[in-house]
mmCIF file of all heavy atoms in Angstrom:
data_model
loop_
_atom_site.group_PDB
_atom_site.id
_atom_site.type_symbol
_atom_site.label_atom_id
_atom_site.label_comp_id
_atom_site.label_asym_id
_atom_site.label_seq_id
_atom_site.Cartn_x
_atom_site.Cartn_y
_atom_site.Cartn_z
ATOM 1 N N ARG Q 34 3.736 2.487 -19.235
ATOM 2 C CA ARG Q 34 3.891 1.583 -20.378
ATOM 3 C C ARG Q 34 5.313 1.070 -20.477
ATOM 4 O O ARG Q 34 5.605 -0.124 -20.541
ATOM 5 C CB ARG Q 34 3.516 2.231 -21.675
ATOM 6 C CG ARG Q 34 3.061 1.273 -22.702
ATOM 7 C CD ARG Q 34 2.470 1.961 -23.904
ATOM 8 N NE ARG Q 34 1.633 1.067 -24.653
ATOM 9 C CZ ARG Q 34 0.903 1.474 -25.683
ATOM 10 N NH1 ARG Q 34 0.943 2.687 -26.052
ATOM 11 N NH2 ARG Q 34 0.238 0.621 -26.361
ATOM 12 N N LEU Q 40 9.826 -4.658 -17.418
ATOM 13 C CA LEU Q 40 9.589 -5.935 -16.735
ATOM 14 C C LEU Q 40 9.419 -7.020 -17.707
ATOM 15 O O LEU Q 40 9.885 -8.201 -17.390
ATOM 16 C CB LEU Q 40 8.405 -5.754 -15.846
ATOM 17 C CG LEU Q 40 8.530 -4.701 -14.705
ATOM 18 C CD1 LEU Q 40 7.285 -4.632 -13.926
ATOM 19 C CD2 LEU Q 40 9.673 -4.991 -13.864
ATOM 20 N N HIS Q 41 8.866 -6.775 -18.751
ATOM 21 C CA HIS Q 41 8.584 -7.819 -19.746
ATOM 22 C C HIS Q 41 9.897 -8.309 -20.358
ATOM 23 O O HIS Q 41 10.117 -9.510 -20.531
ATOM 24 C CB HIS Q 41 7.683 -7.292 -20.837
ATOM 25 C CG HIS Q 41 7.550 -8.200 -21.990
ATOM 26 N ND1 HIS Q 41 7.116 -9.585 -21.818
ATOM 27 C CD2 HIS Q 41 7.759 -8.062 -23.292
ATOM 28 C CE1 HIS Q 41 7.134 -10.143 -23.044
ATOM 29 N NE2 HIS Q 41 7.500 -9.256 -23.979
ATOM 30 N N ASN Q 56 -1.752 -3.675 -12.522
ATOM 31 C CA ASN Q 56 -2.195 -2.466 -13.270
ATOM 32 C C ASN Q 56 -3.055 -1.545 -12.423
ATOM 33 O O ASN Q 56 -3.205 -1.690 -11.238
ATOM 34 C CB ASN Q 56 -2.951 -2.874 -14.489
ATOM 35 C CG ASN Q 56 -4.232 -3.645 -14.174
ATOM 36 O OD1 ASN Q 56 -4.719 -3.574 -13.057
ATOM 37 N ND2 ASN Q 56 -4.760 -4.378 -15.080
ATOM 38 N N SER Q 57 -3.606 -0.567 -13.060
ATOM 39 C CA SER Q 57 -4.392 0.470 -12.348
ATOM 40 C C SER Q 57 -5.448 -0.050 -11.469
ATOM 41 O O SER Q 57 -5.785 0.469 -10.407
ATOM 42 C CB SER Q 57 -5.031 1.435 -13.296
ATOM 43 O OG SER Q 57 -4.087 1.743 -14.288
ATOM 44 N N SER Q 62 -0.763 -9.211 -13.978
ATOM 45 C CA SER Q 62 -0.258 -9.252 -15.333
ATOM 46 C C SER Q 62 -0.594 -10.612 -15.942
ATOM 47 O O SER Q 62 -0.206 -11.650 -15.437
ATOM 48 C CB SER Q 62 1.240 -9.037 -15.454
ATOM 49 O OG SER Q 62 1.529 -7.896 -14.640
ATOM 50 P P DT I 5 5.292 -3.386 -34.986
ATOM 51 O OP1 DT I 5 5.143 -4.814 -35.276
ATOM 52 O OP2 DT I 5 4.255 -2.382 -35.119
ATOM 53 O "O5'" DT I 5 5.775 -3.417 -33.471
ATOM 54 C "C5'" DT I 5 6.907 -4.127 -33.002
ATOM 55 C "C4'" DT I 5 6.925 -4.349 -31.532
ATOM 56 O "O4'" DT I 5 7.439 -3.153 -30.847
ATOM 57 C "C3'" DT I 5 5.466 -4.509 -30.903
ATOM 58 O "O3'" DT I 5 5.571 -5.630 -29.906
ATOM 59 C "C2'" DT I 5 5.239 -3.233 -30.247
ATOM 60 C "C1'" DT I 5 6.559 -2.781 -29.825
ATOM 61 N N1 DT I 5 6.687 -1.246 -29.780
ATOM 62 C C2 DT I 5 7.368 -0.776 -28.658
ATOM 63 O O2 DT I 5 7.840 -1.422 -27.759
ATOM 64 N N3 DT I 5 7.408 0.636 -28.689
ATOM 65 C C4 DT I 5 6.916 1.487 -29.619
ATOM 66 O O4 DT I 5 7.010 2.699 -29.453
ATOM 67 C C5 DT I 5 6.252 0.863 -30.665
ATOM 68 C C7 DT I 5 5.727 1.718 -31.808
ATOM 69 C C6 DT I 5 6.215 -0.508 -30.786
ATOM 70 P P DG I 6 4.247 -6.397 -29.593
ATOM 71 O OP1 DG I 6 4.473 -7.808 -29.639
ATOM 72 O OP2 DG I 6 3.054 -5.860 -30.333
ATOM 73 O "O5'" DG I 6 4.088 -6.017 -28.032
ATOM 74 C "C5'" DG I 6 5.074 -6.334 -27.143
ATOM 75 C "C4'" DG I 6 4.788 -5.665 -25.749
ATOM 76 O "O4'" DG I 6 5.125 -4.294 -25.815
ATOM 77 C "C3'" DG I 6 3.295 -5.726 -25.392
ATOM 78 O "O3'" DG I 6 3.153 -6.098 -23.994
ATOM 79 C "C2'" DG I 6 2.786 -4.420 -25.642
ATOM 80 C "C1'" DG I 6 4.030 -3.537 -25.477
ATOM 81 N N9 DG I 6 3.956 -2.288 -26.306
ATOM 82 C C8 DG I 6 3.353 -2.085 -27.446
ATOM 83 N N7 DG I 6 3.494 -0.862 -27.929
ATOM 84 C C5 DG I 6 4.183 -0.206 -26.950
ATOM 85 C C6 DG I 6 4.666 1.090 -26.902
ATOM 86 O O6 DG I 6 4.467 2.068 -27.688
ATOM 87 N N1 DG I 6 5.360 1.358 -25.767
ATOM 88 C C2 DG I 6 5.665 0.415 -24.791
ATOM 89 N N2 DG I 6 6.384 0.892 -23.754
ATOM 90 N N3 DG I 6 5.272 -0.800 -24.840
ATOM 91 C C4 DG I 6 4.557 -1.091 -25.904
ATOM 92 P P DA I 7 2.298 -7.470 -23.802
ATOM 93 O OP1 DA I 7 3.142 -8.659 -24.107
ATOM 94 O OP2 DA I 7 1.176 -7.127 -24.589
ATOM 95 O "O5'" DA I 7 1.776 -7.658 -22.333
ATOM 96 C "C5'" DA I 7 2.010 -7.626 -21.412
ATOM 97 C "C4'" DA I 7 1.640 -6.954 -20.131
ATOM 98 O "O4'" DA I 7 2.409 -7.659 -19.075
ATOM 99 C "C3'" DA I 7 2.013 -5.518 -20.058
ATOM 100 O "O3'" DA I 7 1.192 -4.821 -19.155
ATOM 101 C "C2'" DA I 7 3.436 -5.562 -19.521
ATOM 102 C "C1'" DA I 7 3.301 -6.759 -18.510
ATOM 103 N N9 DA I 7 4.541 -7.436 -18.254
ATOM 104 C C8 DA I 7 5.561 -7.664 -19.126
ATOM 105 N N7 DA I 7 6.564 -8.291 -18.573
ATOM 106 C C5 DA I 7 6.184 -8.502 -17.255
ATOM 107 C C6 DA I 7 6.749 -9.176 -16.248
ATOM 108 N N6 DA I 7 7.930 -9.743 -16.260
ATOM 109 N N1 DA I 7 6.069 -9.205 -15.069
ATOM 110 C C2 DA I 7 4.934 -8.635 -14.995
ATOM 111 N N3 DA I 7 4.197 -8.018 -15.931
ATOM 112 C C4 DA I 7 4.911 -8.023 -17.076
ATOM 113 P P DC I 8 -0.077 -4.042 -19.862
ATOM 114 O OP1 DC I 8 -1.225 -4.169 -18.945
ATOM 115 O OP2 DC I 8 -0.177 -4.051 -21.355
ATOM 116 O "O5'" DC I 8 0.544 -2.536 -19.546
ATOM 117 C "C5'" DC I 8 1.313 -2.238 -18.338
ATOM 118 C "C4'" DC I 8 1.036 -0.825 -17.908
ATOM 119 O "O4'" DC I 8 1.058 0.028 -19.109
ATOM 120 C "C3'" DC I 8 -0.353 -0.586 -17.339
ATOM 121 O "O3'" DC I 8 -0.318 0.445 -16.302
ATOM 122 C "C2'" DC I 8 -1.157 -0.110 -18.467
ATOM 123 C "C1'" DC I 8 -0.183 0.738 -19.281
ATOM 124 N N1 DC I 8 -0.506 0.768 -20.688
ATOM 125 C C2 DC I 8 -0.734 2.018 -21.300
ATOM 126 O O2 DC I 8 -0.717 3.013 -20.562
ATOM 127 N N3 DC I 8 -1.059 2.047 -22.570
ATOM 128 C C4 DC I 8 -1.086 0.914 -23.342
ATOM 129 N N4 DC I 8 -1.484 1.041 -24.588
ATOM 130 C C5 DC I 8 -0.819 -0.340 -22.709
ATOM 131 C C6 DC I 8 -0.457 -0.394 -21.494
ATOM 132 P P DT I 9 -1.619 0.702 -15.485
ATOM 133 O OP1 DT I 9 -1.309 1.130 -14.096
ATOM 134 O OP2 DT I 9 -2.594 -0.466 -15.636
ATOM 135 O "O5'" DT I 9 -2.281 1.963 -16.312
ATOM 136 C "C5'" DT I 9 -1.418 3.109 -16.408
ATOM 137 C "C4'" DT I 9 -2.219 4.296 -16.735
ATOM 138 O "O4'" DT I 9 -2.432 4.349 -18.225
ATOM 139 C "C3'" DT I 9 -3.627 4.341 -16.086
ATOM 140 O "O3'" DT I 9 -3.903 5.610 -15.677
ATOM 141 C "C2'" DT I 9 -4.542 3.846 -17.287
ATOM 142 C "C1'" DT I 9 -3.864 4.398 -18.468
ATOM 143 N N1 DT I 9 -4.100 3.580 -19.724
ATOM 144 C C2 DT I 9 -4.241 4.257 -20.913
ATOM 145 O O2 DT I 9 -4.251 5.488 -21.012
ATOM 146 N N3 DT I 9 -4.445 3.532 -21.997
ATOM 147 C C4 DT I 9 -4.562 2.174 -22.079
ATOM 148 O O4 DT I 9 -4.758 1.564 -23.062
ATOM 149 C C5 DT I 9 -4.316 1.516 -20.718
ATOM 150 C C7 DT I 9 -4.393 -0.022 -20.680
ATOM 151 C C6 DT I 9 -4.131 2.194 -19.709
ATOM 152 P P DC I 10 -5.364 5.924 -14.996
ATOM 153 O OP1 DC I 10 -5.149 6.761 -13.836
ATOM 154 O OP2 DC I 10 -6.127 4.675 -14.844
ATOM 155 O "O5'" DC I 10 -6.066 6.792 -16.149
ATOM 156 C "C5'" DC I 10 -5.319 7.826 -16.805
ATOM 157 C "C4'" DC I 10 -6.175 8.496 -17.818
ATOM 158 O "O4'" DC I 10 -6.229 7.706 -19.026
ATOM 159 C "C3'" DC I 10 -7.611 8.759 -17.361
ATOM 160 O "O3'" DC I 10 -8.093 10.026 -17.733
ATOM 161 C "C2'" DC I 10 -8.431 7.576 -18.069
ATOM 162 C "C1'" DC I 10 -7.614 7.450 -19.363
ATOM 163 N N1 DC I 10 -7.637 6.056 -19.892
ATOM 164 C C2 DC I 10 -7.809 5.824 -21.264
ATOM 165 O O2 DC I 10 -7.828 6.895 -22.005
ATOM 166 N N3 DC I 10 -7.880 4.594 -21.767
ATOM 167 C C4 DC I 10 -7.806 3.559 -20.945
ATOM 168 N N4 DC I 10 -7.954 2.374 -21.546
ATOM 169 C C5 DC I 10 -7.653 3.735 -19.549
ATOM 170 C C6 DC I 10 -7.565 5.034 -19.024
#
Side-chain angles (χ1 to χ4, degrees):
Chain Q
R34 205 171 201 178
L40 294 179
H41 171 54
N56 65 15
S57 318
S62 312

